[in-house]
Amino acid sequence: QVQLIQSGGGLVQAGGSLRLSCAASGRTFSTNDMGWFRQAPGKEREFVAYINWTGGIVYYSDSVKGRFTISRDNAKNSVYLQMNSLKPEDTAVYYCAAKLFGRATFKPDEYDSWGQGTQVTVSS
């Protein structure tokens, strides 16, 4: 498993930007595919973005495509989520997650390590 520590998040007005960071330790970071998920009150955890172990393959949910960017820096053992043009419906607790490299997946159950979560609140 991997230990994941998140930072960033907070309160922003609609149309604003935030950047989430997730620092990893434990299992060699460059062998991990990484994902970002979010969970709003009363809703299930949902996929936001995925990046493979090389950084060469990324996927986004339709709801964030064109507004969010996932990236990673293997030298810094970190993954990032740049969120632009934020909307009130983006309000949620955001989680980074890790799994050993392999098939791309958007299912939370297929990730074996999770960050502590960070609140993102977008006001209208």
Side-chain angles (χ1 to χ4, degrees):
Q1 289 189 333
V2 184
Q3 291 73 49
L4 301 173
I5 303 297
Q6 297 179 221
S7 59
L11 174 64
V12 66
Q13 288 189 333
S17 297
L18 285 173
R19 188 191 196 211
L20 304 182
S21 300
C22 176
S25 61
R27 185 169 68 207
T28 303
F29 182 69
S30 59
T31 66
N32 291 280
D33 295 337
M34 302 297 296
W36 285 97
F37 295 79
R38 66 187 182 187
Q39 188 165 17
K43 295 188 177 181
E44 293 187 351
R45 193 167 297 189
E46 67 171 357
F47 166 76
V48 174
Y50 163 92
I51 188 166
N52 81 325
W53 63 284
T54 69
I57 298 173
V58 297
Y59 294 109
Y60 299 95
S61 67
D62 288 343
S63 61
V64 308
K65 196 174 299 181
R67 300 187 296 121
F68 290 12
T69 302
I70 189 171
S71 62
R72 67 188 295 158
D73 185 339
N74 286 347
K76 296 182 177 180
N77 293 340
S78 293
V79 64
Y80 309 98
L81 185 68
Q82 177 66 41
M83 305 183 292
N84 298 330
S85 302
L86 282 160
K87 305 175 181 180
E89 51 263 44
D90 294 319
T91 295
V93 176
Y94 283 71
Y95 298 89
C96 63
K99 70 175 190 67
L100 197 59
F101 71 92
R103 180 178 59 88
T105 178
F106 310 149
K107 298 179 180 180
D109 289 350
E110 297 193 19
Y111 290 77
D112 62 3
S113 303
W114 290 85
Q116 80 276 20
T118 186
Q119 178 70 46
V120 171
T121 302
V122 184
S123 63
S124 57

